[in-house]
Amino acid sequence: MFEEKLIKYTEEIRDLFSRLNDLVFAAVPTVQTKLWAGLPSYYVGEKFVRLIPFKDHINIEAAALINYKAQLPDYKFTPKNMLQICIGQVIPSEILTKVFCETLSV
């Protein structure tokens, strides 16, 4: 669904987005997708996760991230507590799976 939105980004960002997208669906298979203010978003009811692509990183917006900040010392958090995953960084899959489950649980 988000392919048109991602076409302007590099292959590295599209690949990173795809791997994060797969993690969201693996964590919560019933998630619904839509663009919110042009941003790729995943919903269960009113709860959401957003993957926000930039030229060299993707910001992840998820309410439960704050609970795992101490476990992610090698990653940057924005002032709004979004996690930045840069091109070339290892995706903390185990932690993100927990974050996505907790954020989107009903």
Side-chain angles (χ1 to χ4, degrees):
M1 169 188 180
F2 301 128
E3 293 81 17
E4 282 185 30
K5 180 71 179 163
L6 297 170
I7 200 132
K8 67 181 181 179
Y9 294 97
T10 64
E11 184 177 334
E12 291 91 350
I13 287 294
R14 289 193 306 267
D15 179 60
L16 180 58
F17 184 93
S18 177
R19 291 186 288 146
L20 291 168
N21 178 74
D22 291 349
L23 266 181
V24 173
F25 276 100
V28 185
T30 59
V31 71
Q32 300 294 309
T33 59
K34 66 179 175 180
L35 289 174
W36 178 87
L39 302 173
S41 304
Y42 305 81
Y43 285 87
V44 172
E46 296 295 315
K47 297 177 180 184
F48 65 89
V49 167
R50 288 200 181 92
L51 301 180
I52 307 165
F54 291 89
K55 70 176 186 172
D56 62 352
H57 68 278
I58 292 179
N59 281 358
I60 301 170
E61 181 179 6
L65 272 170
I66 194 72
N67 302 330
Y68 295 90
K69 194 171 184 177
Q71 295 177 38
L72 297 163
D74 297 330
Y75 296 86
K76 181 179 177 185
F77 278 80
T78 71
K80 294 184 179 182
N81 284 315
M82 291 186 220
L83 175 67
Q84 274 189 7
I85 306 281
C86 295
I87 293 172
Q89 275 189 305
V90 173
I91 296 173
S93 300
E94 187 175 312
I95 292 173
L96 286 179
T97 297
K98 292 176 187 176
V99 166
F100 297 150
C101 285
E102 286 178 30
T103 298
L104 298 170
S105 67
V106 285

